[in-house]
Amino acid sequence: MTSAYTGRFITFEGIDGAGKSTQIAATVAWARAHDHEVVQSREPGGTPLGEKLRELLLHESMHLETEALLMFAARREHLAQLIEPALARGAWVISDRFTDASYAYQAGGRGLSLEKFSALEGWVHPDLQPDLTFLFDLAPDIAARRLAAGRDGTDRFEREQTDFFERVRAAYLLRARESAGRIVVLDANRAPEQIQADVLKTLEERFA
Ligand code: TYD
């Protein structure tokens, strides 16, 4: 938990196409309506350097471990430049993805060992975890159909096959079981209004 900080840190996770964006907007609106300063961000990215790393991560082929290390390099910068200063001044940081995505995509999807990620997490943010994480859970074939319907271009991750996303999904759900208090799993195979009702209910219960 972010006990050292007065702000709140909320993250959104799930496989590509699970429908996070609408609910991120609803969460930002809810926090602003409750008079909180809100900083909306994303990973990889969130800082000028992080956005350059994002460009490389999404479009350049690279060694699997290079990919994992660059995710954490971008995250280190994100924490130093944006997340920690915002939380310290009492703002809410709402991020589209954080470290759970590395466990899901680089460990689960790519097959790197979980131990490497505990080591990187312990190095980059030993004392900080999101206060709350929404995990949008959805079958990969449904997510793929949504992506195909709504997108112009695709990146390296979106071009992966169903079995990759099955592994990502399983790794996310494992992480959710291990961090049950922090990660709230949402059935993303529902209408956006139904999902939003769950999101807002959780925010009310935890933070109102
Ligand atoms: P995403 O956040 O889904 O943005 P968009 O909706 O614009 O595609 O894309 C980021 C991609 O990066 C996504 O496919 C997941 C991947 N990713 C990782 O593989 N590991 C990570 O640690 C993070 C933060 C993201």
Side-chain angles (χ1 to χ4, degrees), residues 15-18 137-147 160-170:
I15 61 171
D16 297 81
D137 184 52
L138 187 64
D141 55 332
I142 300 174
R145 281 203 294 276
R146 286 189 188 172
L147 276 184
E160 289 290 343
Q161 302 302 310
T162 304
D163 60 335
F164 175 85
F165 288 108
E166 292 287 4
R167 293 194 299 276
V168 172
R169 181 190 195 189

Coordinates of all heavy atoms in Angstrom, one line a residue, residues 15-18 137-147 160-170:
I15 N -6.1 -8.1 -20.5 CA -5.5 -8.3 -21.9 C -6.0 -7.2 -22.8 O -7.0 -6.5 -22.5 CB -5.9 -9.7 -22.4 CG1 -7.4 -9.9 -22.6 CG2 -5.3 -10.8 -21.5 CD1 -7.8 -11.1 -23.3
D16 N -5.3 -7.1 -23.9 CA -5.6 -6.0 -24.9 C -7.1 -6.3 -25.4 O -7.4 -7.4 -25.7 CB -4.7 -6.1 -26.1 CG -3.3 -5.8 -25.7 OD1 -2.5 -6.7 -25.2 OD2 -2.9 -4.6 -25.9
G17 N -7.9 -5.2 -25.4 CA -9.2 -5.4 -25.9 C -10.3 -5.6 -24.8 O -11.4 -5.9 -25.1
A18 N -9.8 -5.6 -23.6 CA -10.7 -5.9 -22.5 C -11.7 -4.8 -22.1 O -12.6 -4.9 -21.3 CB -10.0 -6.4 -21.2
D137 N -11.2 -9.0 -16.8 CA -11.0 -10.4 -17.2 C -11.9 -10.8 -18.4 O -13.1 -10.5 -18.3 CB -11.2 -11.3 -16.0 CG -10.9 -12.8 -16.4 OD1 -9.8 -13.0 -16.9 OD2 -11.8 -13.6 -16.2
L138 N -11.3 -11.3 -19.4 CA -12.1 -11.5 -20.6 C -11.4 -12.7 -21.4 O -10.2 -12.7 -21.5 CB -12.1 -10.3 -21.5 CG -13.0 -10.3 -22.8 CD1 -14.4 -10.4 -22.4 CD2 -12.8 -9.0 -23.5
A139 N -12.2 -13.5 -22.0 CA -11.7 -14.6 -22.9 C -10.9 -14.0 -24.1 O -11.5 -13.0 -24.7 CB -12.8 -15.5 -23.4
P140 N -9.7 -14.4 -24.4 CA -9.0 -13.9 -25.5 C -9.7 -13.8 -26.8 O -9.5 -12.9 -27.6 CB -7.7 -14.7 -25.6 CG -7.6 -15.2 -24.2 CD -9.0 -15.4 -23.7
D141 N -10.5 -14.8 -27.2 CA -11.2 -14.7 -28.5 C -12.2 -13.6 -28.5 O -12.3 -12.9 -29.6 CB -11.8 -16.1 -28.8 CG -12.8 -16.6 -27.8 OD1 -12.6 -16.2 -26.6 OD2 -13.8 -17.2 -28.1
I142 N -12.8 -13.3 -27.4 CA -13.7 -12.1 -27.4 C -13.0 -10.8 -27.5 O -13.3 -9.9 -28.3 CB -14.6 -12.1 -26.1 CG1 -15.4 -13.4 -26.1 CG2 -15.5 -10.9 -26.1 CD1 -16.2 -13.6 -24.8
A143 N -11.8 -10.7 -26.8 CA -11.0 -9.5 -26.8 C -10.5 -9.3 -28.2 O -10.4 -8.2 -28.7 CB -9.9 -9.7 -25.8
A144 N -10.1 -10.4 -28.9 CA -9.5 -10.3 -30.3 C -10.6 -9.7 -31.2 O -10.3 -8.9 -32.1 CB -9.0 -11.6 -30.7
R145 N -11.8 -10.2 -31.1 CA -12.9 -9.7 -32.0 C -13.1 -8.2 -31.7 O -13.3 -7.4 -32.7 CB -14.2 -10.5 -31.7 CG -14.2 -11.8 -32.4 CD -15.6 -12.4 -32.6 NE -16.3 -12.7 -31.4 CZ -16.2 -13.8 -30.7 NH1 -15.4 -14.8 -31.1 NH2 -16.9 -14.0 -29.6
R146 N -13.1 -7.8 -30.5 CA -13.2 -6.4 -30.2 C -12.1 -5.5 -30.8 O -12.4 -4.5 -31.3 CB -13.2 -6.1 -28.6 CG -14.5 -6.6 -27.9 CD -14.4 -6.1 -26.5 NE -15.5 -6.6 -25.7 CZ -15.5 -6.5 -24.4 NH1 -14.6 -5.8 -23.7 NH2 -16.5 -7.0 -23.7
L147 N -10.9 -6.0 -30.6 CA -9.7 -5.3 -31.2 C -9.8 -5.2 -32.7 O -9.6 -4.1 -33.3 CB -8.4 -6.0 -30.9 CG -7.8 -5.8 -29.5 CD1 -6.5 -6.5 -29.4 CD2 -7.6 -4.3 -29.2
E160 N 0.0 -10.7 -31.2 CA 0.2 -12.1 -30.6 C -1.1 -12.9 -30.8 O -2.2 -12.4 -31.0 CB 0.5 -12.0 -29.1 CG 1.9 -11.5 -28.8 CD 3.0 -12.4 -29.3 OE1 2.7 -13.6 -29.4 OE2 4.2 -12.0 -29.4
Q161 N -0.9 -14.3 -30.7 CA -2.0 -15.2 -30.9 C -2.8 -15.5 -29.6 O -2.3 -15.1 -28.6 CB -1.5 -16.5 -31.5 CG -0.7 -16.3 -32.8 CD -1.6 -15.6 -33.9 OE1 -2.7 -16.0 -34.2 NE2 -1.0 -14.6 -34.5
T162 N -3.9 -16.2 -29.8 CA -4.8 -16.5 -28.7 C -4.0 -17.2 -27.5 O -4.2 -16.9 -26.4 CB -5.9 -17.3 -29.1 OG1 -6.6 -16.6 -30.2 CG2 -6.9 -17.6 -28.0
D163 N -3.1 -18.1 -27.9 CA -2.5 -18.9 -26.8 C -1.6 -17.9 -25.9 O -1.5 -18.1 -24.7 CB -1.7 -20.1 -27.3 CG -0.6 -19.7 -28.3 OD1 -0.7 -18.6 -28.9 OD2 0.4 -20.4 -28.4
F164 N -1.0 -16.9 -26.5 CA -0.2 -15.9 -25.8 C -1.2 -15.2 -24.8 O -0.8 -15.1 -23.6 CB 0.4 -14.9 -26.7 CG 1.1 -13.8 -26.1 CD1 2.4 -13.9 -25.6 CD2 0.5 -12.5 -25.8 CE1 3.1 -12.8 -25.0 CE2 1.1 -11.5 -25.2 CZ 2.4 -11.6 -24.8
F165 N -2.3 -14.8 -25.2 CA -3.2 -14.1 -24.4 C -3.9 -15.0 -23.3 O -4.2 -14.6 -22.2 CB -4.3 -13.3 -25.2 CG -3.7 -12.1 -25.9 CD1 -3.5 -12.1 -27.2 CD2 -3.3 -11.0 -25.1 CE1 -3.0 -11.0 -27.9 CE2 -2.7 -9.9 -25.7 CZ -2.5 -9.9 -27.1
E166 N -4.0 -16.3 -23.6 CA -4.4 -17.2 -22.6 C -3.4 -17.3 -21.4 O -3.8 -17.3 -20.3 CB -4.6 -18.7 -23.2 CG -5.7 -18.8 -24.2 CD -7.1 -18.8 -23.6 OE1 -7.2 -18.6 -22.3 OE2 -8.1 -19.0 -24.3
R167 N -2.1 -17.3 -21.8 CA -1.1 -17.3 -20.7 C -1.1 -16.0 -20.0 O -0.9 -16.0 -18.8 CB 0.3 -17.6 -21.4 CG 0.4 -18.9 -22.0 CD 1.9 -19.3 -22.3 NE 2.5 -18.4 -23.2 CZ 2.5 -18.5 -24.5 NH1 1.8 -19.5 -25.1 NH2 3.1 -17.6 -25.3
V168 N -1.3 -14.9 -20.7 CA -1.3 -13.5 -20.0 C -2.5 -13.5 -19.0 O -2.4 -13.1 -17.9 CB -1.5 -12.4 -21.1 CG1 -1.7 -11.1 -20.4 CG2 -0.2 -12.3 -21.9
R169 N -3.7 -14.0 -19.5 CA -4.9 -14.0 -18.7 C -4.6 -14.9 -17.4 O -5.0 -14.4 -16.3 CB -6.0 -14.6 -19.5 CG -7.3 -14.6 -18.7 CD -8.4 -15.3 -19.4 NE -9.7 -15.0 -18.9 CZ -10.8 -15.7 -19.2 NH1 -10.8 -16.7 -20.1 NH2 -12.0 -15.4 -18.7
A170 N -4.1 -16.0 -17.6 CA -3.8 -16.9 -16.5 C -2.9 -16.3 -15.5 O -3.1 -16.4 -14.2 CB -3.3 -18.3 -17.0

